[in-house]
Amino acid sequence: MKRTLIAMAAALLSAGSAFAAAPDTTRTEVTRLLDAVEKSQCQFNRNGSWHDAKEARAHLQKKYDYLEKKKLVTSTESFIERGASTSSMSGDPYQIRCPGTPAVTSAAWLKAELARQRK
């Protein structure tokens, strides 16, 4: 019984660290991604409506702030997956359409931008 309680306590402690606040590098990368969205001149589709880059940034910032408050952002990729890829209301994927290019999923656009920034 005592070993079981110790094992359970250890598991809870290690699980808790998975839900820690985002590291500074993640915050910096997310901010740079959101800056890139805003400066992109692209349009952002959520739930069937197209929005300009400034509105897209504001929406994604709200989602980031919410996830960060809940300690659900552990990396930049986790933010993209949990907050910047699909609508939490409808489950539909977000899309980004830049001038002269077809629409792509926001996940693909953001991951490509992240890779570019990390070079």
Side-chain angles (χ1 to χ4, degrees):
M1 176 75 164
K2 192 174 188 179
R3 286 185 189 180
T4 303
L5 289 174
I6 291 171
M8 286 174 55
L12 286 173
L13 288 174
S14 65
S17 65
F19 296 103
D24 289 340
T25 39
T26 298
R27 283 188 208 99
T28 299
E29 285 182 340
V30 169
T31 298
R32 287 182 183 154
L33 279 180
L34 297 181
D35 288 346
V37 168
E38 186 172 12
K39 294 173 184 171
S40 70
Q41 299 180 358
C42 300
Q43 293 181 311
F44 183 79
N45 186 301
R46 64 184 172 94
N47 297 321
S49 297
W50 290 98
H51 302 271
D52 68 25
K54 189 173 183 174
E55 292 171 327
R57 192 235 164 86
H59 178 72
L60 294 174
Q61 182 70 57
K62 277 195 245 182
K63 289 192 80 170
Y64 175 74
D65 293 343
Y66 173 81
L67 292 170
E68 175 67 4
K69 183 179 175 185
K70 297 286 186 180
K71 300 188 182 343
L72 295 173
V73 178
T74 56
S75 67
T76 306
E77 291 83 357
S78 73
F79 165 66
I80 293 170
E81 292 167 17
R82 291 181 175 142
S85 295
T86 59
S87 168
S88 54
M89 287 177 34
S90 68
D92 292 340
Y94 293 145
Q95 293 184 313
I96 294 182
R97 176 177 66 195
C98 298
T101 64
V104 297
T105 65
S106 63
W109 192 94
L110 291 166
K111 288 175 185 176
E113 178 61 24
L114 179 60
R116 189 191 67 73
Q117 289 181 10
R118 285 179 172 171
K119 285 185 180 180

